[in-house]
Amino acid sequence: MTRKLAQNTNVCGVTAAIAVIDGKWKTTLLWLLETRPHRPGELVRRLPGLTEKVLTQALREMEGDGLVHREVHEGLPLKTVYSLTDFGRDLSVALGPLSDWGHRRLDNLTGAAVAP
């Protein structure tokens, strides 16, 4: 149901943003692609538990949402490389403060768990 919200123009901005990054792997893929372009095999190796099928689905959705660019280099075998678009970089920057908040929350949880 969240995927439908990614195309809905009648939702609030936060809902529209969350719809685009919803899922187990998309924020991590954004984080990895922020550093440099990656081939699909690299991404699978860097993320234990991520299957090629799920990676392909997530990257296709992210490409459809304008976050990633897929480049196919000719030759045998074909070489596919994924990188962030400018729009994807904008999203990554926008998520920075949310990431900071999440780290503070985790620190609070850790502190609360240690306190008597």
Side-chain angles (χ1 to χ4, degrees):
M1 177 162 91
T2 306
R3 269 313 296 155
K4 291 178 185 176
L5 292 175
Q7 305 301 321
N8 187 340
T9 58
N10 295 318
V11 297
C12 79
V14 173
T15 300
I18 289 173
V20 171
I21 58 169
D22 188 42
K24 183 175 180 179
W25 300 105
K26 287 184 182 177
T27 53
T28 306
L29 289 169
L30 272 173
W31 176 68
L32 286 173
L33 291 172
E34 192 177 44
T35 60
R36 66 176 175 81
H38 283 78
R39 295 183 65 188
E42 293 177 294
L43 295 169
V44 169
R45 283 190 297 277
R46 300 257 334 248
L47 299 170
L50 175 62
T51 65
E52 287 185 34
K53 178 184 175 188
V54 171
L55 173 65
T56 299
Q57 180 181 354
L59 288 171
R60 283 183 183 159
E61 288 176 3
M62 292 169 76
E63 184 180 12
D65 290 329
L67 304 177
V68 299
H69 172 71
R70 178 178 176 259
E71 187 172 344
V72 179
H73 299 273
E74 295 300 323
L76 292 175
L78 288 176
K79 180 181 173 185
T80 305
V81 178
Y82 288 90
S83 59
L84 286 185
T85 62
D86 289 341
F87 197 52
R89 289 192 192 291
D90 288 347
L91 176 60
S92 191
V93 169
L95 289 174
L98 184 61
S99 175
D100 294 343
W101 181 89
H103 285 292
R104 285 194 311 274
R105 179 183 178 275
L106 293 173
D107 289 343
N108 287 341
L109 289 174
T110 303
V114 174

